[in-house]
Amino acid sequence: MSSADPQVETVIDLDAVAHNVRVLREHAGEAAVMAVVKADAYNHGAVQVGRAALAAGAAELGVTTIDEALQLRAAGIDAPILSWLNTSDADYAAAIAADVEIGVSSVAHLDAVARAARAVGRTATVTLKVDTGLNRNGVSDTEYPQVLELLQRLVDEQAVHFRAMFSHLAHADQPRHPVIDVQRDRLLDALAAAKEYRLQPELVHLANSAATLTRPDLAFDMVRPGIAVYGLSPIPEASDFDLRPVMTFRARVALVKRVAAGEGVSYGHEWIAPRDTTVALIPAGYADGVPRPLGGRIAVGIGEANYPNIGRVCMDQLVVDLGDNPAGVCEGDTAILFGPGDLHPQRWADLLGTIHYEVVCSPRGRAVRRYVGDPAQQRGPR
Ligand SMILES: *Cc1c(COP(=O)(O)O)cnc(C)c1O
């Protein structure tokens, strides 16, 4: 790395995104792929990942909020975009004007979309999100008939175009869990009920990453993977599914120095040097997304070797023990916190009692994002 490189950064490999999308397309068979790029593409950069995913054959993009969708439109992405979690007072007019498909979960949502459509003077494209058992977002059983009645009226008056129906699984990471089939059956029931109101969506979708990779019978017309696009296995104990991790979290060694036997390192001196040793200072701390509970428990990769973190993780920095420093680690060297290979984010997830989804969402603060691979190299905040 040159001296112009940031001290701490996430490197986002867009070739890996393309590879992962191709893997997902194979599993999807005839079904289209919607790449989920919510939460700024799981902290990988929604615009760049979205472009790379579309170039690799994803047909659509999925996000949570209208704001997220509008950012993609502002960057010039004209592929179909679905936004599925908004309050009833969200800016549906802006979504309709930008041709963003809107997922609705209640009469109140649908009413708000219809009002916005009339105000804008354009037909809104709507997707019904039905709750089939996750009991989170989605139209509830009890409200479903009212939603269908209203939807039928709105379709008739051309305020709304009914494009798709979808639902989300509660147990997709356990491919043989019986609730998965219950949810599929309820989705089919919801489709049948819609038909009784003369409502027929063009598309039906259900599968997230885990279901895309393990339950081809649930692909319907489109699959909706998120985490697998980022190269992380939705069922890490089963397989990596030939996915390639997209994010590397790394920093540059800021200082290398000797510490004498008996000296304590970092706040609280939780680590005392058992011998004279050499330590390296890594300028990444909890403000940058290295969780403090990892202090003294992780390894950091520098060159060919991994070195143990010693002492507490601080706001801005952590320290690793180089021993006699046989490899000659020096200031400016690249230190890998996590990435593809043996410093997989799953290691942090295991130590923290969480999932790798949360680990890749963690880098922040001073961490600068750098894109490598196709399309061109770009740099942006984080
Ligand atoms: C986040 C999300 C996905 C993607 O889930 P992964 O497990 O990351 O593949 C798909 N659908 C909905 C509704 C989601 O909220």
Side-chain angles (χ1 to χ4, degrees), residues 15-343:
D15 287 337
V17 170
H19 166 85
N20 298 330
V21 168
R22 288 192 291 266
V23 168
L24 288 159
R25 284 182 66 197
E26 260 171 51
H27 280 86
E30 297 290 294
V33 172
M34 168 187 281
V36 176
V37 294
K38 64 187 181 187
D40 204 13
Y42 295 40
N43 201 28
H44 292 66
V47 168
Q48 289 81 358
V49 169
R51 282 197 194 116
L54 292 166
E60 313 202 4
L61 300 178
V63 295
T64 304
T65 64
I66 289 170
D67 274 355
E68 291 177 314
L70 295 178
Q71 278 172 30
L72 297 170
R73 283 282 182 261
I77 292 176
D78 57 11
I81 301 174
L82 171 64
S83 159
W84 60 65
L85 203 175
N86 295 284
T87 51
S88 296
D89 60 355
D91 193 353
Y92 291 114
I96 295 163
D99 199 19
V100 170
E101 187 174 337
I102 303 162
V104 297
S105 290
S106 69
V107 167
H109 287 156
L110 189 51
D111 251 336
V113 172
R115 262 182 277 120
R118 290 184 199 110
V120 175
R122 282 176 69 166
T123 303
T125 304
V126 160
T127 285
L128 268 194
K129 179 158 199 199
V130 291
D131 188 349
T132 55
L134 183 56
N135 289 303
R136 207 179 61 174
N137 198 8
V139 184
S140 70
D141 246 14
T142 46
E143 216 189 349
Y144 193 53
Q146 288 159 265
V147 169
L148 290 177
E149 214 181 293
L150 176 58
L151 184 58
Q152 186 193 49
R153 270 211 319 277
L154 295 173
V155 167
D156 284 348
E157 73 175 72
Q158 292 181 349
V160 158
H161 166 62
F162 177 35
R163 177 150 189 260
M165 182 184 292
F166 81 114
S167 193
H168 195 39
L169 295 167
H171 291 279
D173 54 344
Q174 298 158 271
R176 277 183 286 274
H177 198 288
V179 168
I180 294 177
D181 296 324
V182 171
Q183 289 197 259
R184 175 204 53 208
D185 292 347
R186 288 180 180 171
L187 181 59
L188 294 172
D189 289 347
L191 260 173
K195 267 206 188 111
E196 288 170 22
Y197 289 78
R198 294 182 282 109
L199 293 167
Q200 172 89 52
E202 293 162 20
L203 291 177
V204 175
H205 46 103
L206 177 63
N208 63 354
S209 296
T212 301
L213 294 167
T214 61
R215 292 290 304 261
D217 59 311
L218 301 180
F220 289 94
D221 306 299
M222 188 159 72
V223 295
R224 225 172 44 242
I227 197 69
V229 171
Y230 309 100
L232 301 178
S233 169
I235 313 175
E237 57 287 0
S239 169
D240 68 4
F241 300 99
D242 187 35
L243 299 166
R244 281 167 47 191
V246 171
M247 180 187 288
T248 300
F249 188 23
R250 66 190 207 178
R252 282 190 302 146
V253 172
L255 193 65
V256 174
K257 63 178 165 194
R258 294 291 287 173
V259 169
E263 288 288 313
V265 170
S266 195
Y267 290 131
H269 283 176
E270 280 183 12
W271 189 86
I272 309 282
R275 49 182 153 68
D276 291 353
T277 191
T278 305
V279 300
L281 181 65
I282 312 298
Y286 58 77
D288 307 294
V290 184
R292 190 172 177 277
L294 291 179
R297 303 168 75 197
I298 54 172
V300 172
I302 307 174
E304 299 293 298
N306 292 340
Y307 300 94
N309 166 223
I310 49 174
R312 287 188 190 154
V313 171
C314 311
M315 186 182 291
D316 317 307
Q317 48 197 297
L318 58 88
V319 179
V320 298
D321 183 16
L322 303 174
D324 290 331
N325 194 12
V329 170
C330 59
E331 185 178 332
D333 284 356
T334 298
I336 307 291
L337 293 156
F338 66 69
D342 66 334
L343 294 174

Side-chain angles (χ1 to χ4, degrees), residues 1-7 252 331-332 370 379:
M1 296 170 91
S2 76
S3 59
D5 286 324
Q7 294 195 159
R252 282 190 302 146
E331 185 178 332
R370 177 214 299 269
R379 195 178 279 180

